[in-house]
């Protein structure tokens, strides 16, 4: 069975395509209907998402163990996939169950295709990407807003052309809200000057303004709980309905070196009729405005040169980004040296 991170994976490659030995979001759950399969790219590799008719999901390397043909071009057989090229059948755990051209050959009964552990939460598929030394999935603690029954979260997904790190760094940069998103319906208020601090937590760190709270995009928390995610809140006026501040849980998928899947769960603490009111307001009014904000992020990040983080002059507002880069770079180097 081929590991995702082989012995030749360099720190630069890992840094460019995503850290291993942790969970990552892949695509929204509804991208793979019951009884269907879908080819996806994640961490620079090709994968096949395979869903049985009962809803059970599997994620396999998109590579037939016989001649390397894409399994995604094959046939869904209910509990296994048959390669189109020579009919080799592979079960959802990566075991070759049948070689129709030569029954009883030594491929049968062997696990020859990588199969990743998967979880589904909040309408998204998460997968664990390990290497040969860390095949067992890391402990996963899911974001509280996605598991709390008193919180209603709505997933928004998009794909952007740019490095995955740029998308995470954008979230660890609260000050951009007062400039890039100044014309939005939620981030028009507050000072355009601020001082920031890093506050450590058991699961990551806060990057927050020291002189303003509850006015704009004033803080963000990076959480590392088996999967990397951020949490932030933006104040909402009473006209936006019940539920208090508007929260966002954000994750990213490193599709490859130059493409990123972004996952944003918009959430509020609402129950009963308030949940219905919140969802109605979101779908009829708020969602379009939020897409406008995301579009501003997309345009800016896609316009940045690939070496933008190599030719900078940073200042105090960038402490959160600097901390993030050092942490990710150190992990990439550690993973490369251990492979």
């Amino acid at each position: 069975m081929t590991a995702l991170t082989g012995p030749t994976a360099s720190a630069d490659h890992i840094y460019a395509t995503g850290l291993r030995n942790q969970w990552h979001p892949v695509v929204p759950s509804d991208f793979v209907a019951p009884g269907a399969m879908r080819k996806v790219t994640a961490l620079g590799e090709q994968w096949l998402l395979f869903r049985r008719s009962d809803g059970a999901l599997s994620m396999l390397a998109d590579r037939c163990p016989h001649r390397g043909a894409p399994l995604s071009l094959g046939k869904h057989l209910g509990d296994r996939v048959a390669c189109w090229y020579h009919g080799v059948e592979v079960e959802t755990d990566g075991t070759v169950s049948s070689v129709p051209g030569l029954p009883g050959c030594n491929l049968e009964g062997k696990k020859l295709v990588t199969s990743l552990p998967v979880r589904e939460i909040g309408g998204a598929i998460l997968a664990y990407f390990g290497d040969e030394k860390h095949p067992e999935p890391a402990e996963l603690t899911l974001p509280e807003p996605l598991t709390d029954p008193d919180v209603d979260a709505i997933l928004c997904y998009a794909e952007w052309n740019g490095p995955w790190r740029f998308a995470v760094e954008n979230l660890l940069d609260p000050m951009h809200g007062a400039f890039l998103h100044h014309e939005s319906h939620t981030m028009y208020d507050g000072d355009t000057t601020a001082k920031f601090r890093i506050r450590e937590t058991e699961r990551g760190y806060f990057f927050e303004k020291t002189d303003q709270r509850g006015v704009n995009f004033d803080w963000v928390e990076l959480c590392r709980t088996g999967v990397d995610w951020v949490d932030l809140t933006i104040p909402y006026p009473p006209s936006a309905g019940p539920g208090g501040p508007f929260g966002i849980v954000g994750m990213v998928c490193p599709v490859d070196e130059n493409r990123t899947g972004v996952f944003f769960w918009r959430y509020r603490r609402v129950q009963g009729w308030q949940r219905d009111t919140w969802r109605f307001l979101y779908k009829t009014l708020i969602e379009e405005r939020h897409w406008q904000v995301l579009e501003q992020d997309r345009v800016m990040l896609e316009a940045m040169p690939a070496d933008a983080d190599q030719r900078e002059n940073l200042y105090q507002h960038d402490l959160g980004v600097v901390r993030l880069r050092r942490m990710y770079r150190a992990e990439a180097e550690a993973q490369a040296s251990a492979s």
Side-chain angles (χ1 to χ4, degrees):
M1 184 166 63
T2 303
L4 178 62
T5 304
T8 60
S10 67
D12 286 343
H13 177 74
I14 295 171
Y15 192 61
T17 59
L19 298 176
R20 275 55 174 179
N21 305 330
Q22 66 179 60
W23 295 79
H24 291 278
V26 182
V27 291
S29 292
D30 60 12
F31 275 30
V32 193
M37 52 188 194
R38 184 184 182 107
K39 179 186 183 75
V40 297
T41 304
L43 278 69
E45 299 283 344
Q46 305 301 311
W47 302 93
L48 173 66
L49 287 169
F50 181 98
R51 196 184 293 278
R52 298 188 325 203
S53 58
D54 63 2
L57 183 73
S58 299
M59 187 167 175
L60 297 168
D62 191 22
R63 185 183 180 92
C64 178
H66 172 219
R67 293 280 302 281
L71 290 172
S72 57
L73 294 179
K75 185 176 182 180
H76 194 301
L77 297 180
D79 60 352
R80 62 200 188 283
V81 58
C83 180
W84 191 18
Y85 203 12
H86 297 92
V88 173
E89 298 178 10
V90 179
E91 297 179 3
T92 56
D93 68 349
T95 300
V96 176
S97 59
S98 176
V99 180
L102 187 63
C105 87
N106 63 3
L107 272 67
E108 294 182 347
K110 293 181 179 178
K111 285 189 176 182
L112 298 175
V113 180
T114 300
S115 176
L116 300 185
V118 292
R119 292 275 303 273
E120 293 187 79
I121 183 66
I125 297 167
L126 273 61
Y128 173 75
F129 295 81
D131 59 23
E132 290 181 343
K133 294 185 177 181
H134 304 86
E136 295 302 318
E139 182 179 353
L140 175 62
T141 301
L142 296 166
E144 295 91 337
L146 305 187
T147 59
D148 188 336
D150 292 332
V151 172
D152 192 49
I154 301 171
L155 173 62
C156 167
Y157 173 78
E159 292 188 13
W160 295 345
N161 292 320
W164 67 276
R165 303 181 313 279
F166 287 10
V168 184
E169 290 173 4
N170 186 64
L171 290 167
L172 266 293
D173 174 21
M175 202 63 204
H176 85 270
F179 293 90
L180 182 63
H181 305 313
H182 180 69
E183 303 300 323
S184 79
H185 68 295
T186 55
M187 286 181 274
Y188 60 87
D189 203 3
D191 291 335
T192 54
T193 60
K195 291 186 178 180
F196 284 85
R197 68 177 178 183
I198 291 175
R199 179 160 55 90
E200 305 289 343
T201 69
E202 292 183 354
R203 62 185 187 179
Y205 64 90
F206 279 91
F207 188 56
E208 57 193 1
K209 295 176 183 177
T210 61
D211 45 7
Q212 179 175 289
R213 193 80 167 191
V215 178
N216 200 313
F217 177 11
D218 295 332
W219 63 271
V220 61
E221 182 187 9
L222 174 70
C223 305
R224 312 202 71 200
T225 61
V227 62
D228 286 3
W229 55 284
V230 300
D231 189 25
L232 61 97
T233 62
I234 298 172
Y236 250 28
S239 60
F246 172 80
I248 297 176
V249 165
M251 298 183 191
V252 306
C253 174
V255 175
D256 56 31
E257 292 185 13
N258 301 304
R259 192 159 177 82
T260 303
V262 293
F263 297 73
F264 295 103
W265 284 268
R266 284 80 176 267
Y267 70 86
R268 297 183 84 180
R269 183 166 290 278
V270 285
Q271 305 89 36
W273 67 267
Q274 291 187 337
R275 180 172 301 218
D276 296 336
T277 300
W278 147 243
R279 285 198 160 250
F280 175 78
L281 284 171
Y282 183 82
K283 291 298 182 182
T284 59
L285 179 65
I286 301 170
E287 183 175 24
E288 181 180 358
R289 295 175 176 177
H290 289 162
W291 274 110
Q292 293 171 359
V293 172
L294 282 184
E295 180 66 4
Q296 292 167 351
D297 285 322
R298 184 196 67 79
V299 169
M300 179 58 66
L301 295 182
E302 289 190 350
M304 294 177 69
D307 65 347
D309 56 352
Q310 304 302 311
R311 302 173 65 181
E312 300 172 314
N313 295 279
L314 304 180
Y315 54 91
Q316 202 264 352
H317 291 181
D318 304 308
L319 288 174
V321 170
V322 171
R323 166 70 188 279
L324 184 78
R325 290 177 182 172
R326 289 175 177 170
M327 179 177 64
Y328 280 164
R329 187 72 202 186
E331 288 198 18
E333 291 174 355
Q335 289 178 10
S337 64
S339 63

